Amino acid sequence: MGVGGKFWELLKPYARLEGFDFLRDKKVAIDLSFWIVQHEAAIKNRARNPHLRLTFFRTINLFSKFGAFPVFVLDGTPSPLKSQARIARFFRFSGIDTSTSTGVKEGVSKERNSAFSKCVDDCVELLELLGMPVLKANGEAEALCAQLNKDGHVDACITADSDAFLFGATCVIKCLRPNSKEPFECYNMSDIEAGLGLKRKHLIAISLLVGNDHDLNGVQGIGLDKALRFVQRFSEDEILNRLYAIGKGDVLLFQDGVTYVDDVIPCSDESSPKPRQSHCSFCGHPGSKAAHFKFSCEYCVTANNVGCLKKSQRFQCNCLSCDKVRKEKDQKKHENWWIKVCSMITMEPNFPNDEIIEMYMGNNHGMFPEDGSLLAWGDPKTELVVDFLAYHQSWQRSFVRQRILPMLSTMYLREMARNPNKTLLVGQYEFHSIQRVKIRYGHQSYVVKWKKAISGELSCAVPVEWSNIQEEECIEVDDGPVDLLDESIDPQIHVDGYWILTDETPALVCSAFPEEVVKFIQKKELKEMKRRKTSMIRSEGSSEMSELSKPQGVQLSITEFYRSTKIQSQAKPGEDLEKLSYNLGDESSKQKRKVSGPNLSKAVRRRLLFG
């Protein structure tokens, strides 16, 4: 949830739309609990162990499709305030009266329920087998994600909890859709500050006023719009101090952007305010109607300076006296609004809550070295992953190997870019060539051909299961992908078993095999030149043939056939055939018009036409 009051809708106009390669070679912190909770209820009746399925496919897609380095963060022990808020939310949505229930009054358990904890443990075991770093927070997972982002250990956070900004996150990604041409939304704290003028402490103040995960109610009667208008009056350094002062009963008033305490507003003019000047009821300007009837006032311009113009229905006088009255009314209206808001805050007991502020402003949400040594990505234990998913998901072993192959090929290309001595993919396949360019969902990739090594020594050194990946039939599971991020990547496997095809990122292939990429581009350009040259020759040849032998390409009717043979037989040497055909054609058309009457028989018309 995070901050209440539709907080994401407030930030949405300031989100950046990033493309597919935004996370390429970047570290991202992921709230694992959010992944599990978000989709478990939606697909629990359609898939076997949905938490494992989602974690497996999402991790592979993030690592291979997006090229990111994911860091998974687990929830620790929730604070007592969070536990109470969680129980209160349960009672609220269940329709149970909390006044009669003893669960909230007596306290609640701080630990997760056993079923959810079992799901988290299964996902952690799978992630560790895949070689992904997993960290555990002291409290909220989004708090540790934000701390990693703020300290520069990761480049972004993937979570839907908006209070990640309150914990100090600078870049938050709410949702990813890789199998779509549409870009995803990325929220940067710098853009929020530039658009709304809000910094971290401002957001904390808004959460205290409208409610958050640790205090669902906030201040009664204050919504998001009212809270935004309130906090924008103060700077970041004084906003929290002002909340403390108002909570103690000090009512603050504003005049021309200056704050005053104890309901005292100094008057800018020591003399008593002048009464409002009388106005004409006809034109609405200062003066009397009798005077304006004879001569027009200085505000009205009429012909011959006789009489004023009648005021419109929504007339508003702009003289100094009226302008001053309007300013006084606006100031009084603002003062009444301000006093009302301050009264609402004063009536709230124990406001603001020091424990919530300290939790948001703290910087000790997890135990890890400052050098980031725990953020290390290892090689996946492939055979253990195959055994794990075959046991928990009842998937065929060949199916698991096919789905994990894109991750292994991505790791292989990264290793080749750093150390070109590594030669074989999964110990069996070597890079052969780039087949073609593939565009899917608007994203470009290279189709890479991997050829199986012929050397018997190399093939015997690897498990025999990988050599059978192409021989076993790929059996699809019944639980199809529910979320776009969960769609699996299907490597193309040739039936003869000697080579495979995978989709790889062009930049990654170029860094690993630059010579092969240059060769592929040159070959592609040469093929394109040949295609263009052939098409030009064909177009020129077809145009010449159409000019020289235009009638040969169309089957002539019997009338046109006899007419063309008659022209050739009657033509004299040196006579223009085109002119003769024109004359004969003209005569035949005239004759045809003459003999085409309905009174002549068909035989007579034919003899007249063909002589």
Side-chain angles (χ1 to χ4, degrees):
M1 172 186 168
V3 183
K6 298 181 180 180
F7 188 69
W8 280 116
E9 294 184 6
L10 175 66
L11 304 182
K12 190 171 184 178
Y14 310 99
R16 292 186 183 183
L17 299 179
E18 299 293 350
F20 187 77
D21 294 330
F22 175 73
L23 295 177
R24 185 78 50 197
D25 297 328
K26 290 184 179 180
K27 302 175 183 178
V28 291
I30 303 168
D31 183 358
L32 180 61
S33 299
F34 167 71
W35 272 11
I36 299 174
V37 172
Q38 183 184 18
H39 293 279
E40 184 181 18
I43 63 175
K44 61 183 180 180
N45 295 327
R46 300 172 53 188
R48 178 188 178 94
N49 294 328
H51 57 287
L52 291 177
R53 184 185 189 282
L54 293 171
T55 303
F56 177 68
F57 285 131
R58 287 187 168 193
T59 304
I60 291 178
N61 286 333
L62 270 177
F63 198 87
S64 58
K65 276 189 176 182
F66 286 93
F69 292 87
V71 179
F72 294 90
V73 181
L74 310 178
D75 282 322
T77 302
S79 65
L81 291 176
K82 179 65 176 288
S83 300
Q84 294 175 10
R86 188 182 300 159
I87 296 298
R89 185 186 294 119
F90 169 77
F91 284 130
R92 177 185 299 177
F93 289 110
S94 301
I96 303 176
D97 186 8
T98 56
S99 60
T100 59
S101 60
T102 59
V104 178
K105 295 181 180 179
E106 296 178 358
V108 295
S109 174
K110 297 181 180 181
E111 298 296 333
R112 296 271 187 173
N113 60 74
S114 57
F116 186 83
S117 300
K118 178 64 167 56
C119 294
V120 173
D121 295 340
D122 292 342
C123 293
V124 170
E125 184 178 358
L126 176 60
L127 292 171
E128 290 177 348
L129 293 177
L130 291 173
M132 299 293 109
V134 180
L135 303 178
K136 186 172 183 179
N138 293 335
E140 300 296 321
E142 63 269 19
L144 182 54
C145 291
Q147 182 179 344
L148 292 172
N149 187 209
K150 182 182 64 175
D151 296 341
H153 296 295
V154 298
D155 300 290
C157 305
I158 299 180
T159 179
D161 285 333
S162 55
D163 55 358
F165 295 107
L166 282 61
F167 287 108
T170 59
C171 180
V172 176
I173 299 173
K174 184 181 178 183
C175 183
L176 287 176
R177 292 184 177 131
N179 292 350
S180 174
K181 294 183 180 180
E182 299 296 328
F184 58 84
E185 296 177 353
C186 181
Y187 297 84
N188 291 280
M189 193 63 191
S190 57
D191 298 332
I192 297 173
E193 181 179 350
L196 294 173
L198 302 178
K199 295 185 178 181
R200 181 182 176 186
K201 290 182 179 180
H202 289 114
L203 300 181
I204 294 175
I206 290 177
S207 71
L208 294 173
L209 293 172
V210 303
N212 49 73
D213 283 343
H214 310 277
D215 180 16
L216 298 180
N217 298 323
V219 177
Q220 296 295 329
I222 296 182
L224 186 59
D225 295 337
K226 192 175 293 185
L228 178 63
R229 180 181 172 186
F230 177 87
V231 301
Q232 285 178 335
R233 293 286 184 174
F234 302 100
S235 65
E236 185 185 20
D237 296 332
E238 63 177 353
I239 178 62
L240 295 180
N241 295 330
R242 293 298 183 184
L243 287 181
Y244 278 114
I246 297 174
K248 294 179 181 178
D250 297 336
V251 179
L252 307 178
L253 296 179
F254 275 79
Q255 184 184 22
D256 298 331
V258 182
T259 308
Y260 300 96
V261 189
D262 298 331
D263 296 350
V264 178
I265 303 178
C267 183
S268 59
D269 190 1
E270 296 180 357
S271 61
S272 59
K274 297 180 180 180
R276 183 176 181 270
Q277 187 179 359
S278 61
H279 283 58
C280 173
S281 60
F282 183 76
C283 67
H285 295 128
S288 63
K289 183 177 180 181
H292 289 186
F293 183 75
K294 296 180 180 180
F295 304 100
S296 61
C297 65
E298 58 179 332
Y299 299 96
C300 296
V301 179
T302 61
N304 300 327
N305 195 25
V306 178
C308 290
L309 300 175
K310 186 177 181 180
K311 62 181 178 181
S312 60
Q313 185 177 2
R314 297 183 179 181
F315 173 78
Q316 187 177 14
C317 181
N318 294 322
C319 67
L320 296 178
S321 176
C322 294
D323 187 56
K324 183 177 180 181
V325 171
R326 283 194 296 269
K327 288 183 179 180
E328 291 176 354
K329 288 183 178 180
D330 293 340
Q331 182 178 357
K332 186 64 177 177
K333 181 180 179 180
H334 172 70
E335 291 174 2
N336 293 335
W337 177 88
W338 190 261
I339 293 174
K340 183 177 180 181
V341 173
C342 293
S343 301
M344 292 178 182
I345 297 175
T346 304
M347 293 174 61
E348 190 70 23
N350 192 26
F351 185 89
N353 194 313
D354 293 332
E355 186 177 352
I356 296 178
I357 296 177
E358 292 176 0
M359 178 184 57
Y360 282 139
M361 296 298 298
N363 197 34
N364 187 23
H365 302 292
M367 300 299 295
F368 61 93
E370 293 296 331
D371 57 356
S373 57
L374 290 180
L375 304 182
W377 291 263
D379 295 332
K381 301 175 182 178
T382 308
E383 295 307 314
L384 293 180
V385 172
V386 172
D387 295 339
F388 181 86
L389 294 176
Y391 174 75
H392 287 87
Q393 300 297 107
S394 299
W395 290 347
Q396 294 289 335
R397 296 178 178 273
S398 59
F399 175 82
V400 180
R401 292 191 183 93
Q402 291 180 32
R403 296 311 187 265
I404 202 175
L405 186 58
M407 185 180 199
L408 300 176
S409 63
T410 300
M411 289 184 173
Y412 172 81
L413 293 176
R414 287 176 179 172
E415 184 64 25
M416 283 296 297
R418 293 191 299 265
N419 182 20
N421 296 328
K422 190 172 183 178
T423 56
L424 296 180
L425 171 65
V426 297
Q428 291 189 10
Y429 296 93
E430 59 183 356
F431 186 92
H432 181 268
S433 61
I434 302 174
Q435 295 295 300
R436 58 186 176 88
V437 176
K438 179 179 178 180
I439 299 179
R440 187 182 184 190
Y441 300 107
H443 309 308
Q444 190 180 80
S445 61
Y446 284 159
V447 179
V448 178
K449 182 178 181 179
W450 305 88
K451 187 177 181 180
K452 191 172 183 179
I454 303 177
S455 174
E457 297 179 359
L458 294 175
S459 298
C460 295
V462 296
V464 69
E465 287 82 357
W466 279 105
S467 62
N468 296 331
I469 185 174
Q470 70 282 349
E471 298 175 3
E472 299 181 14
E473 181 183 1
C474 178
I475 301 177
E476 295 287 347
V477 292
D478 295 333
D479 44 321
V482 176
D483 190 85
L484 290 174
L485 186 60
D486 312 321
E487 183 176 337
S488 60
I489 308 171
D490 299 332
Q492 304 177 33
I493 301 178
H494 200 269
V495 294
D496 59 13
Y498 288 101
W499 53 271
I500 57 177
L501 297 176
T502 59
D503 300 337
E504 306 295 343
T505 305
L508 190 58
V509 178
C510 184
S511 62
F513 299 97
E515 297 178 355
E516 295 292 337
V517 174
V518 172
K519 186 188 303 183
F520 169 73
I521 294 175
Q522 292 176 351
K523 184 178 178 181
K524 184 180 178 183
E525 292 176 352
L526 182 61
K527 187 183 297 185
E528 182 67 18
M529 290 176 60
K530 289 182 179 180
R531 187 189 65 81
R532 291 179 180 177
K533 187 176 180 180
T534 304
S535 61
M536 290 176 62
I537 294 174
R538 289 180 179 177
S539 61
E540 293 176 358
S542 60
S543 61
E544 293 177 359
M545 292 296 293
S546 61
E547 294 178 359
L548 295 176
S549 57
K550 190 173 183 180
Q552 297 178 6
V554 181
Q555 183 177 359
L556 301 177
S557 64
I558 187 170
T559 304
E560 294 174 344
F561 173 75
Y562 280 110
R563 186 182 301 162
S564 61
T565 54
K566 193 173 184 180
I567 292 173
Q568 295 176 4
S569 62
Q570 295 180 3
K572 297 179 181 179
E575 187 176 2
D576 192 359
L577 289 176
E578 182 179 358
K579 184 176 180 180
L580 182 60
S581 63
Y582 175 79
N583 295 333
L584 291 176
D586 189 24
E587 294 177 0
S588 63
S589 62
K590 293 180 180 179
Q591 188 179 11
K592 182 178 180 181
R593 284 195 298 269
K594 292 180 182 179
V595 302
S596 59
N599 297 329
L600 300 177
S601 64
K602 187 175 181 181
V604 174
R605 291 198 302 269
R606 184 177 298 165
R607 286 197 300 272
L608 291 175
L609 286 174
F610 304 112

